[in-house]
């Protein structure tokens, strides 16, 4: 259990300060070791022999932490806002409708401006199945940049090589 705790703590505090979502699969979720796993940073515990529907339900719960809820808004800047109800990006008085996957990608990045989100975190936020092609996140980022280019916002979606992507704030762009 000591090794698991050390591993989880390293996983939860990687270089750059970004955190991952972690589900720990344990032989006994009621053991003292389970509490140690939670204290070390696991987001959830499941038995090793969990059926697929339970794993999917747990992943959905973790995804809800990142996904927009009806009525939610994310203020990216004073004149730049994401609207969870209409799933649009409001740029001053103009509303830009985005396809669902690009909206969820921008929502995940915009909710944590300046933070580097790993491709795995973005896959979870965009509800991309594990069996999808490995380049799905990269393709979604390229498409989002293409949607943002006419508004000169494409450079805000920054690639951090070897780590992931981030939404650059206006201040960090200067």
């Amino acid at each position: 259990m000591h090794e698991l705790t050390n591993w989880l703590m390293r996983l939860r505090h990687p270089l750059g300060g970004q955190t991952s979502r972690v589900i720990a699969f344990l032989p006994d979720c009621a053991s003292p070791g389970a509490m140690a796993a939670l204290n070390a940073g696991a987001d959830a515990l499941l038995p090793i022999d969990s059926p697929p529907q339970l794993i999917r339900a747990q992943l959905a719960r973790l995804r809800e932490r990142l996904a927009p809820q009806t009525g939610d808004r994310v203020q990216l800047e004073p004149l730049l806002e994401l609207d969870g109800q209409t799933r649009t990006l409001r740029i001053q008085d103009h509303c830009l409708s985005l396809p669902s996957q690009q909206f969820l990608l921008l929502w995940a990045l915009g909710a944590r401006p300046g933070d580097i989100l790993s491709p795995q975190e973005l896959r979870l936020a965009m509800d991309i199945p594990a069996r999808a092609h490995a380049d799905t996140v990269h393709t979604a980022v390229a498409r989002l940049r293409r949607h943002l280019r006419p508004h000169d916002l494409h450079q805000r979606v920054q690639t951090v090589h070897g780590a992931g992507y981030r939404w650059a704030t206006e201040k960090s762009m200067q």
Side-chain angles (χ1 to χ4, degrees):
M1 194 47 63
H2 179 70
E3 286 178 29
L4 172 64
T5 303
N6 285 339
W7 180 81
L8 278 170
M9 292 189 75
R10 281 194 304 272
L11 181 66
R12 293 297 291 193
H13 302 286
L15 225 46
Q18 70 184 23
T19 58
S20 305
R21 303 290 179 244
V22 177
I23 298 176
F25 291 89
L26 301 172
D28 180 9
C29 291
S31 71
M35 185 56 75
L38 288 172
N39 288 335
D43 292 296
L45 303 175
L46 288 176
I48 272 181
D49 57 352
S50 295
Q53 61 269 31
L54 179 60
I55 296 169
R56 281 192 293 274
Q58 188 61 53
L59 286 171
R61 189 181 72 74
L62 291 175
R63 196 170 17 260
E64 285 174 7
R65 293 182 191 175
L66 298 172
Q69 303 299 312
T70 302
D72 283 352
R73 295 176 185 266
V74 170
Q75 192 77 37
L76 300 172
E77 292 173 15
L79 298 175
L80 197 59
E81 177 183 78
L82 284 168
D83 185 338
Q85 183 173 6
T86 61
R87 298 210 169 219
T88 57
L89 172 63
R90 190 177 314 273
I91 306 166
Q92 295 179 354
D93 295 330
H94 176 72
C95 285
L96 175 64
S97 293
L98 295 168
S100 181
Q101 196 175 59
Q102 280 83 52
F103 180 83
L104 293 172
L105 171 61
L106 185 55
W107 184 275
L109 293 170
R112 295 173 50 191
D115 288 354
I116 300 167
L117 299 180
S118 70
Q120 293 79 14
E121 288 176 288
L122 294 173
R123 285 177 77 93
L124 182 64
M126 292 187 298
D127 198 20
I128 297 172
R131 67 183 175 279
H133 195 272
D135 287 340
T136 305
V137 172
H138 308 299
T139 302
V141 168
R143 288 179 179 156
L144 176 60
R145 285 179 176 145
R146 197 170 26 247
H147 278 97
L148 297 175
R149 187 175 309 276
H151 306 282
D152 201 30
L153 295 169
H154 62 284
Q155 73 278 9
R156 297 294 185 87
V157 180
Q158 296 182 335
T159 302
V160 181
H161 294 285
Y165 300 92
R166 72 173 159 220
W167 176 262
T169 61
E170 188 175 12
K171 291 178 184 176
S172 68
M173 296 293 295
Q174 297 173 352

